Amino acid sequence: MNVPSSPLGVVRRHIVRADPAAVARLSRLGVSTLHEALGRSGLMQPFMRPVYAGAKLCGTAVTILLQPGDNWMMHVAAEQLQPGDVAVAACTTDNADGFFGDLLATSFQARGARGLVIDGGVRDVDTLQAMGFPVFSKAIHARGTIKATLGSVNVPVVCAGALVQPGDVVIADTDGVVVVPAAQAHEVADAAEAREALEAGKRARFAAGVLGLDLYKMREGLEKAGLRYLD
Amino acid sequence: MNVPSSPLGVVRRHIVRADPAAVARLSRLGVSTLHEALGRSGLMQPFMRPVYAGAKLCGTAVTILLQPGDNWMMHVAAEQLQPGDVAVAACTTDNADGFFGDLLATSFQARGARGLVIDGGVRDVDTLQAMGFPVFSKAIHARGTIKATLGSVNVPVVCAGALVQPGDVVIADTDGVVVVPAAQAHEVADAAEAREALEAGKRARFAAGVLGLDLYKMREGLEKAGLRYLD
Amino acid sequence: MNVPSSPLGVVRRHIVRADPAAVARLSRLGVSTLHEALGRSGLMQPFMRPVYAGAKLCGTAVTILLQPGDNWMMHVAAEQLQPGDVAVAACTTDNADGFFGDLLATSFQARGARGLVIDGGVRDVDTLQAMGFPVFSKAIHARGTIKATLGSVNVPVVCAGALVQPGDVVIADTDGVVVVPAAQAHEVADAAEAREALEAGKRARFAAGVLGLDLYKMREGLEKAGLRYLD
Amino acid sequence: MNVPSSPLGVVRRHIVRADPAAVARLSRLGVSTLHEALGRSGLMQPFMRPVYAGAKLCGTAVTILLQPGDNWMMHVAAEQLQPGDVAVAACTTDNADGFFGDLLATSFQARGARGLVIDGGVRDVDTLQAMGFPVFSKAIHARGTIKATLGSVNVPVVCAGALVQPGDVVIADTDGVVVVPAAQAHEVADAAEAREALEAGKRARFAAGVLGLDLYKMREGLEKAGLRYLD
Amino acid sequence: MNVPSSPLGVVRRHIVRADPAAVARLSRLGVSTLHEALGRSGLMQPFMRPVYAGAKLCGTAVTILLQPGDNWMMHVAAEQLQPGDVAVAACTTDNADGFFGDLLATSFQARGARGLVIDGGVRDVDTLQAMGFPVFSKAIHARGTIKATLGSVNVPVVCAGALVQPGDVVIADTDGVVVVPAAQAHEVADAAEAREALEAGKRARFAAGVLGLDLYKMREGLEKAGLRYLD
Amino acid sequence: MNVPSSPLGVVRRHIVRADPAAVARLSRLGVSTLHEALGRSGLMQPFMRPVYAGAKLCGTAVTILLQPGDNWMMHVAAEQLQPGDVAVAACTTDNADGFFGDLLATSFQARGARGLVIDGGVRDVDTLQAMGFPVFSKAIHARGTIKATLGSVNVPVVCAGALVQPGDVVIADTDGVVVVPAAQAHEVADAAEAREALEAGKRARFAAGVLGLDLYKMREGLEKAGLRYLD
């Protein structure tokens, strides 16, 4: 969806990308952990799935606002992609056509892009997998698109329910897709790394048979809430 | 959905509401016309429907970010409502429980609110209709909610795919729900009124039997695009 | 869906219906209130909707387990219907065909049935409305069904996510459909009536402008949970 | 959806419409009855609903194949509409945008069209109702469309799962939408009228308390199938 | 969904588990075969899918009734799990949040649990696969949950349309999830094993080119039903 | 769905299959390419997915029209299958039951069939994969079906939104399912092969860093359409 204050027919050439060092740190963290580190915000809806098993990506967002059944702006966006970017495509309406296939993937990969996140459909999925070009999408659909109507590139977009600003870090893995605002990238990486360290310790205790009831000291709270044990 | 930069557990007390004069102008215009006047942005997804036939609303948004199955923030929001406001409720995840019913409607109406737009469920629908309190929602659902977890009030939210800032104008009728940014309210009203005037003229010509092909001078364009007439 | 312990091809003739006095009490209460009085259980999923505006029903369940595209058991069930019953039909699989129309409605009405709740489709909806025969269903669908395969009558069924035992009280209104176990009918009516009385008092206070924050003494809890007010 | 043998970019000017006398007969019959008379074929999927309560239509199909987000062919179709026609619009892909509103309705009505059936979205619904222009659609959606890409007019289309040939009779009421091939129009009217007469007799017997078990002599068949009555 | 007679806030400590010998037999049989052996009952809805390819499980049910967005009862349930159990989690409403991840999986596995069936979402799916902890769910979703509201453990639940009693045998494979009542475990294993033996013989005949028409002697029945062969 | 002019209860024995040489050519081409070569027609809806990773098929259609929950016609169809055929099954209504499993697959494979395309459900998916019998379906569902009602074999059907005539070529791969009319098979293969050759050249240029903006000479068109570049 397009955001009220973002005009159609616009390409912003200069965007502020998140610090590459922060992106590198975020790329080693999982989506579920990052979503927690973000205070449980920034997550796309769960219908966004990898188009092949094992796909993963992390990079800075070049945003694309598409019109239904039209992928003209994909070509406009290609020119704005820099190494380390991830293309993030939203559509002005609900549409699952195949906006993207092997030729665009070849072009995006040649520009150094690390993948695509699209609230729409893609095709040539076997080739995408063979190329190692990760895509997270709402659908796989062979239906082609035209090149007739202007959308925008590098404007804020709502993609699968999440607001994405150009330059934000987008991370996707088997658990979903999450957006980290560029300005918060290091801070979120800090919080996520701390959480990971903490969880490693908890995992060892769970593996040793300690119950969450005891580890998290839940018994009193449950009793207060009125939990009754019956035989 | 919550927007990355909006923390949970926050209530903003002072928001900049759109000019009441602009709201009054927008209240006389239809959602489809306004969506056009906005350059086709700001529209919520079409699953948002009135809970009773003929419901309509227009007012300034007090935004609410709910947690699933929890309507605590509805009560927090009530205090922030002023005459002429519309409550706009999003949820941190997809949830259709009945977050709102006749008691909250009574409270909101007493505060001067003009209705509710909610990406979730509501209940006591017959009473809402009897009270004349318009609601647009994703679902009607008798299931009640608890009051246990903090969301936020008056932070930016993504509601049914549209970004809503506190103070924006929200207009809803049988055609759907649209959001007009507060700062653009007069400008959008201008464009929409101009469009309405223009359409009145066109309607008369269509009624007289003139074809769009001629009114919009489409015949040449169609021929150039390759349209073939067969007998 | 059918319940594991319920064989197909069975009709139970003698069932224990809820006390008619309790049914009469429950018929004056709304679905949302009853769902609360039940400790928030017994509610069907929200895709169950009245087939015409204003439909309402309350009665004792005669359950029907249908096969997909087959309404043979509707005729078997007709014979088991007594005045004050509501037919509650589930299907062994997900199916939205038109299992029920004006002829069956005429037959059920002649038997004294008060309506139908069906996790499937119905047809002849205009006639159902003209007859005043309320139906709550998942779909309206003109497609007819055959009479070839056995289901069951008066076995436990899962209808739209809720377990229904023959003789339970089923109540449906604009807010949805709820099931009250026969043995709890009076107790649930007691709780619901108490709740209604309580809500009348609250409604008056809300109408007078008292906030839920104060009425429910929520301010301290919100503060403890960490709610921050910003200007 | 478009049918393999139907090229895009084509308008067929001369189509063979069903006999007006047959259309008149069909207009007095219900969709459920006609679907039965057709041997249970020709029915559209049940997500096709009237956009206002009480809408009904019957007429000869002028078919329209739309591109997603594009209503150019609606204007091309307007010129092909004759009094007594119904516009039947399919799309080359799944799309719920608002392809049709009050201006096109005014134009279609001026041409003598009796309504619209569209596997897509429409807008200006309150005006459509005020005009008495019946529409059956998959969605109500304020989102506008462009005029950039060719589809076709008067080619065979698959609309909501049903194949429609130009000139076929399309009938829609609260129960759904059904397509009667032009060449079978009288024969189907015969069968449907016979069925109606038959049902009137049955209805009287059901109202008098006769069971379907006896009226249709089902008891023996049920017993043979193994139905067991338990006490 | 919760079952009307099951209170919230209850943990039943002693449940009657199906005989381990029967569970062992059932673990060697497929879901489709078992569903047939059960007289076609006990099957969950087909949206329940393995979270990784090749996942399979069989064990005795410890049931969990969750509140939306809340996984407190998962920790309560961990203590009730015994070697050979399968956790079966339903929710009081429709919710796809990530109720379960690698830490809980570590805890459940340490208790000897054989997997999880959940009418909700899970996360940390790559780790679940690496651990060999099979999960069947409605969704994969990174969104975390809170621990604030009581549900129940070891009460009857409706999970994805199927009624599950604590102690029942739950079997899941690529074809879906099925529930075998504890008391019928041996009897169902008998029927399923017999069916398997029978099918092996049929498979050989089909492989040799025998038609089902002849193997099942269908020709006469088809002719009686009126099947016509055209050239 | 069934097509209005196709009676139920009919088996056509002699159909005109596409030329095997053309089928061989089409089998080397991808679904997305063929859909383009067909002028973007003939594509099934994107919910049709392979039941195991890597499934692919190409062959001449033997069409099957099923009744819901009934696979009788699958056995009738088996006799009509010839080496090189693909079974294409539609249903008279929306139904996802498991119409097809390992026994029918063994029979179809013994007849020389190359796979199944079904707008419904299938089961025994692990065995289908082990057999190398490719299936594209709407669902995987363990629920079995009965054999009681007549459908048809080798009549035109609408399967997942696409019209299929007996003898047409059906091709399916990871991108979806497409139908090539028998009479156009060579012509479509010509167009698709030409397109493939053309794309190979483009791919090399994209890989070398040429932009689509330049390769397709889009810059002028974009400027004319009003695209603005901002810094």
Side-chain angles (χ1 to χ4, degrees):
Chain A
M1 312 289 287
N2 45 336
V3 164
S5 52
S6 300
L8 289 168
V10 162
V11 183
R12 191 163 289 278
R13 261 191 288 232
H14 300 293
I15 62 173
V16 181
R17 287 171 170 85
D19 175 7
V23 178
R25 291 174 67 195
L26 293 169
S27 73
R28 287 186 291 269
L29 294 155
V31 167
S32 294
T33 300
L34 289 167
H35 166 61
E36 293 291 340
L38 274 158
R40 300 196 168 170
S41 70
L43 195 65
M44 292 193 187
Q45 288 190 288
F47 57 68
M48 296 295 283
R49 299 297 305 147
V51 300
Y52 56 85
K56 254 171 220 271
L57 61 78
C58 175
T60 40
V62 162
T63 63
I64 309 169
L65 182 59
L66 301 163
Q67 300 284 2
D70 191 309
N71 74 348
W72 212 8
M73 301 318 284
M74 284 286 190
H75 290 282
V76 174
E79 193 175 29
Q80 306 307 318
L81 288 168
Q82 297 184 3
D85 283 343
V86 164
V88 178
C91 184
T92 54
T93 192
D94 195 42
N95 184 237
D97 287 352
F99 293 94
F100 185 91
D102 63 344
L103 291 186
L104 273 165
T106 303
S107 177
F108 280 25
Q109 204 174 47
R111 303 286 303 172
R114 293 185 180 168
L116 169 71
V117 170
I118 179 168
D119 190 351
V122 299
R123 58 184 190 173
D124 302 328
V125 165
D126 289 341
T127 307
L128 298 180
Q129 181 167 21
M131 292 172 63
F133 190 82
V135 175
F136 289 72
S137 74
K138 180 165 66 182
I140 293 172
H141 199 331
R143 190 178 189 274
T145 51
I146 59 167
K147 292 158 195 20
T149 312
L150 294 186
S152 290
V153 172
N154 281 335
V155 298
V157 295
V158 173
C159 180
L163 180 68
V164 189
Q165 304 276 358
D168 284 351
V169 192
V170 173
I171 305 97
D173 64 21
T174 312
D175 284 0
V177 187
V178 76
V179 184
V180 177
Q184 294 173 249
H186 273 298
E187 169 197 343
V188 169
D190 289 347
E193 288 165 2
R195 187 181 164 90
E196 269 213 338
L198 199 69
E199 296 222 328
K202 286 185 198 165
R203 193 174 300 111
R205 301 199 60 192
F206 278 125
V210 178
L211 288 169
L213 291 177
D214 300 311
L215 188 63
Y216 299 120
K217 301 192 194 315
M218 290 172 172
R219 293 190 193 272
E220 196 190 349
L222 288 162
E223 198 185 334
K224 259 196 201 160
L227 190 68
R228 286 175 299 137
Y229 284 85
L230 312 176
D231 284 328
Chain B
M1 311 288 286
N2 44 336
V3 165
S5 52
S6 300
L8 290 168
V10 163
V11 183
R12 190 163 290 280
R13 261 190 288 232
H14 300 293
I15 63 172
V16 181
R17 287 172 170 84
D19 176 8
V23 178
R25 291 175 66 195
L26 293 170
S27 74
R28 289 186 289 269
L29 294 155
V31 167
S32 294
T33 301
L34 288 168
H35 166 60
E36 294 291 342
L38 274 159
R40 298 195 170 171
S41 69
L43 194 65
M44 293 194 187
Q45 289 191 286
F47 56 68
M48 296 295 285
R49 301 297 306 148
V51 300
Y52 55 85
K56 256 170 218 272
L57 60 79
C58 175
T60 40
V62 162
T63 63
I64 309 170
L65 182 59
L66 300 163
Q67 300 283 2
D70 191 309
N71 75 346
W72 213 6
M73 293 294 124
M74 285 286 191
H75 290 282
V76 175
E79 193 175 29
Q80 306 307 318
L81 288 168
Q82 297 184 4
D85 284 340
V86 165
V88 178
C91 185
T92 54
T93 192
D94 195 42
N95 184 237
D97 288 353
F99 294 94
F100 185 91
D102 63 343
L103 291 187
L104 274 165
T106 303
S107 177
F108 281 26
Q109 204 174 48
R111 302 286 305 172
R114 294 185 180 167
L116 169 71
V117 171
I118 179 168
D119 190 351
V122 299
R123 57 184 189 174
D124 301 327
V125 165
D126 288 341
T127 307
L128 298 180
Q129 182 167 21
M131 291 171 63
F133 190 82
V135 176
F136 289 72
S137 73
K138 180 166 68 182
I140 293 172
H141 199 332
R143 190 180 189 272
T145 51
I146 59 166
K147 292 158 195 23
T149 313
L150 295 187
S152 290
V153 171
N154 282 335
V155 296
V157 296
V158 173
C159 180
L163 181 67
V164 188
Q165 304 276 358
D168 285 351
V169 191
V170 173
I171 306 96
D173 64 21
T174 313
D175 284 359
V177 186
V178 75
V179 184
V180 177
Q184 294 173 248
H186 272 297
E187 170 197 344
V188 169
D190 289 346
E193 286 165 2
R195 188 182 164 90
E196 270 213 337
L198 199 68
E199 296 223 328
K202 287 185 198 165
R203 191 172 300 111
R205 301 200 57 194
F206 278 123
V210 178
L211 289 169
L213 292 177
D214 299 312
L215 188 63
Y216 299 120
K217 302 194 194 314
M218 290 173 173
R219 292 189 193 273
E220 195 190 349
L222 286 162
E223 197 185 335
K224 257 196 203 161
L227 190 67
R228 286 176 299 138
Y229 283 86
L230 311 176
D231 283 331
Chain C
M1 311 289 287
N2 45 336
V3 165
S5 52
S6 299
L8 291 167
V10 162
V11 182
R12 190 163 291 280
R13 261 190 288 232
H14 299 294
I15 63 174
V16 180
R17 287 170 170 85
D19 174 7
V23 178
R25 292 174 65 196
L26 293 170
S27 72
R28 288 186 290 268
L29 293 154
V31 167
S32 295
T33 301
L34 288 167
H35 166 61
E36 293 291 340
L38 273 159
R40 300 197 168 168
S41 69
L43 195 64
M44 293 194 186
Q45 290 191 286
F47 57 68
M48 297 295 285
R49 301 297 305 148
V51 300
Y52 56 84
K56 257 170 218 269
L57 60 78
C58 174
T60 40
V62 162
T63 64
I64 309 170
L65 182 60
L66 300 162
Q67 301 284 1
D70 191 309
N71 74 348
W72 212 7
M73 302 317 285
M74 285 286 190
H75 290 283
V76 175
E79 192 174 30
Q80 306 307 318
L81 288 168
Q82 297 184 4
D85 283 342
V86 166
V88 178
C91 183
T92 55
T93 193
D94 195 41
N95 185 237
D97 288 353
F99 293 95
F100 184 90
D102 64 342
L103 292 187
L104 273 165
T106 304
S107 176
F108 280 27
Q109 205 174 49
R111 301 288 302 173
R114 294 184 180 169
L116 169 71
V117 171
I118 179 169
D119 190 351
V122 299
R123 58 184 190 174
D124 303 326
V125 165
D126 288 341
T127 309
L128 298 179
Q129 182 167 20
M131 291 171 64
F133 190 83
V135 174
F136 289 72
S137 74
K138 180 165 66 183
I140 294 171
H141 200 332
R143 189 177 191 274
T145 51
I146 59 166
K147 294 160 191 23
T149 313
L150 294 187
S152 291
V153 172
N154 281 336
V155 296
V157 295
V158 174
C159 180
L163 180 69
V164 188
Q165 304 276 359
D168 284 351
V169 190
V170 174
I171 305 96
D173 63 23
T174 312
D175 284 359
V177 187
V178 74
V179 184
V180 177
Q184 293 174 248
H186 272 297
E187 168 197 346
V188 169
D190 289 346
E193 287 164 2
R195 187 180 164 91
E196 269 213 336
L198 198 66
E199 296 223 329
K202 287 185 199 167
R203 192 173 299 112
R205 300 201 57 194
F206 278 123
V210 177
L211 289 169
L213 292 177
D214 299 311
L215 188 63
Y216 299 121
K217 301 192 197 313
M218 291 173 172
R219 293 190 193 270
E220 194 190 350
L222 287 162
E223 197 185 335
K224 258 196 202 161
L227 191 67
R228 286 175 299 138
Y229 283 85
L230 311 176
D231 283 331
Chain D
M1 310 289 286
N2 45 335
V3 164
S5 52
S6 300
L8 290 167
V10 162
V11 183
R12 189 161 292 280
R13 261 190 290 233
H14 299 294
I15 62 173
V16 181
R17 286 171 170 83
D19 176 7
V23 178
R25 291 174 67 196
L26 292 169
S27 73
R28 287 187 290 269
L29 294 154
V31 167
S32 294
T33 301
L34 289 167
H35 166 61
E36 294 291 340
L38 274 158
R40 299 196 169 171
S41 70
L43 195 64
M44 293 194 187
Q45 287 190 289
F47 57 69
M48 297 294 284
R49 300 297 304 148
V51 300
Y52 56 84
K56 257 171 218 267
L57 60 78
C58 175
T60 41
V62 162
T63 63
I64 309 170
L65 182 59
L66 300 163
Q67 300 284 1
D70 192 309
N71 74 347
W72 213 6
M73 302 317 286
M74 284 287 189
H75 290 282
V76 175
E79 194 175 29
Q80 307 307 318
L81 287 168
Q82 297 184 4
D85 283 343
V86 165
V88 178
C91 184
T92 55
T93 192
D94 195 40
N95 185 239
D97 287 352
F99 294 95
F100 185 91
D102 63 343
L103 291 187
L104 274 165
T106 303
S107 177
F108 281 26
Q109 204 174 48
R111 302 287 303 173
R114 292 183 181 171
L116 169 72
V117 171
I118 179 169
D119 190 351
V122 299
R123 58 184 189 174
D124 302 327
V125 164
D126 288 341
T127 308
L128 299 179
Q129 181 168 19
M131 293 172 62
F133 190 82
V135 175
F136 289 72
S137 74
K138 180 166 64 181
I140 293 172
H141 199 333
R143 188 178 190 274
T145 52
I146 59 167
K147 293 159 192 22
T149 313
L150 295 186
S152 290
V153 172
N154 281 335
V155 297
V157 294
V158 173
C159 180
L163 181 66
V164 187
Q165 305 275 358
D168 285 351
V169 191
V170 173
I171 305 96
D173 63 22
T174 311
D175 284 359
V177 187
V178 75
V179 184
V180 176
Q184 294 174 249
H186 272 298
E187 168 197 346
V188 170
D190 289 347
E193 287 164 1
R195 186 179 164 90
E196 269 213 337
L198 199 67
E199 296 222 330
K202 285 184 200 166
R203 191 172 301 111
R205 301 200 57 195
F206 277 124
V210 177
L211 289 168
L213 292 177
D214 299 311
L215 189 64
Y216 299 120
K217 301 192 196 314
M218 290 173 173
R219 293 188 192 274
E220 195 190 351
L222 287 162
E223 197 185 336
K224 257 196 202 160
L227 190 68
R228 285 174 301 138
Y229 284 85
L230 311 177
D231 284 330
Chain E
M1 312 289 285
N2 45 335
V3 164
S5 52
S6 300
L8 290 168
V10 162
V11 183
R12 189 161 292 280
R13 261 190 288 234
H14 300 293
I15 62 173
V16 181
R17 288 171 169 85
D19 175 6
V23 178
R25 292 174 66 194
L26 293 169
S27 73
R28 289 186 289 270
L29 294 154
V31 167
S32 295
T33 301
L34 288 168
H35 166 60
E36 293 291 339
L38 273 159
R40 298 194 170 173
S41 70
L43 194 65
M44 292 194 187
Q45 287 190 288
F47 56 67
M48 296 295 284
R49 301 296 305 148
V51 299
Y52 56 85
K56 257 170 218 271
L57 60 78
C58 174
T60 40
V62 162
T63 63
I64 309 170
L65 182 60
L66 301 163
Q67 299 284 0
D70 192 309
N71 74 347
W72 212 8
M73 301 319 284
M74 284 286 188
H75 290 282
V76 174
E79 193 174 30
Q80 306 307 318
L81 287 168
Q82 298 184 3
D85 282 343
V86 165
V88 178
C91 184
T92 54
T93 191
D94 195 41
N95 184 238
D97 287 353
F99 293 95
F100 184 91
D102 63 343
L103 291 186
L104 274 165
T106 302
S107 177
F108 280 26
Q109 205 175 47
R111 303 287 302 173
R114 294 185 179 169
L116 169 72
V117 170
I118 178 168
D119 190 351
V122 298
R123 58 184 188 173
D124 303 326
V125 165
D126 289 341
T127 307
L128 299 179
Q129 183 168 18
M131 292 172 63
F133 190 83
V135 175
F136 288 72
S137 75
K138 181 166 65 181
I140 294 173
H141 199 332
R143 187 176 192 278
T145 51
I146 58 166
K147 292 159 195 18
T149 312
L150 295 186
S152 291
V153 172
N154 282 334
V155 297
V157 295
V158 173
C159 180
L163 180 67
V164 188
Q165 304 276 358
D168 284 351
V169 191
V170 173
I171 305 97
D173 63 22
T174 311
D175 284 1
V177 187
V178 74
V179 184
V180 177
Q184 293 174 250
H186 273 296
E187 170 197 344
V188 170
D190 290 347
E193 288 164 2
R195 187 179 164 90
E196 269 212 338
L198 198 68
E199 295 222 331
K202 285 185 199 165
R203 190 173 302 110
R205 300 200 59 194
F206 278 124
V210 178
L211 289 168
L213 292 177
D214 299 311
L215 189 63
Y216 300 119
K217 302 193 194 314
M218 290 173 172
R219 294 188 193 274
E220 195 189 351
L222 287 162
E223 197 185 334
K224 257 195 202 160
L227 190 68
R228 288 173 300 136
Y229 284 86
L230 311 176
D231 284 331
Chain F
M1 309 289 286
N2 44 336
V3 165
S5 52
S6 299
L8 289 168
V10 162
V11 183
R12 190 161 292 279
R13 261 191 288 232
H14 300 293
I15 63 174
V16 181
R17 287 170 170 86
D19 175 6
V23 178
R25 291 175 66 196
L26 293 169
S27 73
R28 288 185 290 269
L29 293 155
V31 167
S32 295
T33 301
L34 288 167
H35 167 60
E36 294 291 341
L38 273 159
R40 299 196 169 170
S41 69
L43 194 65
M44 293 192 186
Q45 289 190 289
F47 57 68
M48 296 294 285
R49 301 296 306 146
V51 300
Y52 56 84
K56 257 170 217 273
L57 61 77
C58 175
T60 40
V62 162
T63 63
I64 309 170
L65 183 59
L66 300 163
Q67 300 283 2
D70 191 309
N71 74 348
W72 212 7
M73 301 319 284
M74 284 286 188
H75 290 283
V76 175
E79 193 174 31
Q80 306 307 318
L81 287 168
Q82 297 185 2
D85 283 344
V86 165
V88 178
C91 183
T92 54
T93 193
D94 195 41
N95 184 237
D97 287 353
F99 293 96
F100 184 90
D102 64 342
L103 292 186
L104 274 165
T106 303
S107 176
F108 280 27
Q109 203 174 49
R111 301 287 303 172
R114 294 184 180 170
L116 169 71
V117 170
I118 178 167
D119 191 351
V122 298
R123 58 184 188 173
D124 301 328
V125 165
D126 289 340
T127 308
L128 298 179
Q129 182 168 19
M131 292 172 63
F133 190 82
V135 174
F136 288 72
S137 74
K138 180 166 65 181
I140 294 173
H141 200 331
R143 190 178 190 275
T145 51
I146 58 167
K147 295 159 192 19
T149 313
L150 294 187
S152 290
V153 173
N154 282 335
V155 297
V157 294
V158 173
C159 180
L163 181 66
V164 188
Q165 303 276 358
D168 285 351
V169 191
V170 174
I171 306 97
D173 63 23
T174 312
D175 283 0
V177 187
V178 75
V179 183
V180 177
Q184 294 173 248
H186 272 296
E187 169 196 344
V188 170
D190 289 347
E193 287 164 2
R195 188 181 164 89
E196 269 214 336
L198 199 67
E199 296 223 328
K202 286 185 199 165
R203 192 173 300 112
R205 300 200 60 193
F206 277 124
V210 178
L211 289 169
L213 292 177
D214 300 310
L215 189 63
Y216 299 120
K217 300 191 197 315
M218 290 171 172
R219 292 189 194 271
E220 197 190 349
L222 287 162
E223 197 185 333
K224 257 195 204 159
L227 189 67
R228 287 175 300 138
Y229 283 85
L230 312 176
D231 284 329

